[in-house]
Amino acid sequence: MLTKQIGEDPKLTNAHVALPMGAVLALATIATLTYMAVMAPWKLEPAPSYEPVSAGLGVAFLTEYLLPFEVASVVLLAALVGSVIIARKEIRETSDAVSP
């Protein structure tokens, strides 16, 4: 989304291929989902509760693994900010140049 205009010629596209290919992929997806829904062995057993597992995971993130959790969040934030900086357009001042 952010790198849409980066490249040699942004007007060069394959728009004539997009609609047929999209229709083929949509048809394949719908066929696969329909087949899986019809052929799946639907079990009517009650699902087990995962509340104790998620509570333990939350406690672990906020006690024993607090530092690695925070380091991972800072690294991901830095990657996100870096990708936005790389993808944004560079605004060049053309006030010094005189166009003919």
Side-chain angles (χ1 to χ4, degrees):
M1 182 175 71
L2 295 173
T3 60
K4 182 172 123 179
Q5 298 297 325
I6 293 177
E8 297 284 327
D9 186 13
K11 294 179 183 175
L12 181 65
T13 64
N14 291 332
H16 64 282
V17 179
L19 187 60
M21 188 59 70
V24 168
L25 289 175
L27 185 63
T29 302
I30 290 170
T32 302
L33 289 175
T34 303
Y35 174 77
M36 295 301 284
V38 170
M39 299 305 289
W42 296 98
K43 295 181 181 179
L44 300 175
E45 298 175 5
S49 173
Y50 295 107
E51 186 177 346
V53 176
S54 60
L57 185 62
V59 169
F61 273 150
L62 294 175
T63 56
E64 185 178 355
Y65 297 105
L66 180 64
L67 184 61
F69 182 67
E70 291 296 326
V71 168
S73 68
V74 169
V75 168
L76 289 172
L77 178 65
L80 181 65
V81 170
S83 66
V84 169
I85 289 173
I86 289 172
R88 72 184 175 103
K89 287 183 179 181
E90 292 293 329
I91 301 173
R92 297 183 179 164
E93 296 291 331
T94 58
S95 61
D96 294 335
V98 177
S99 54

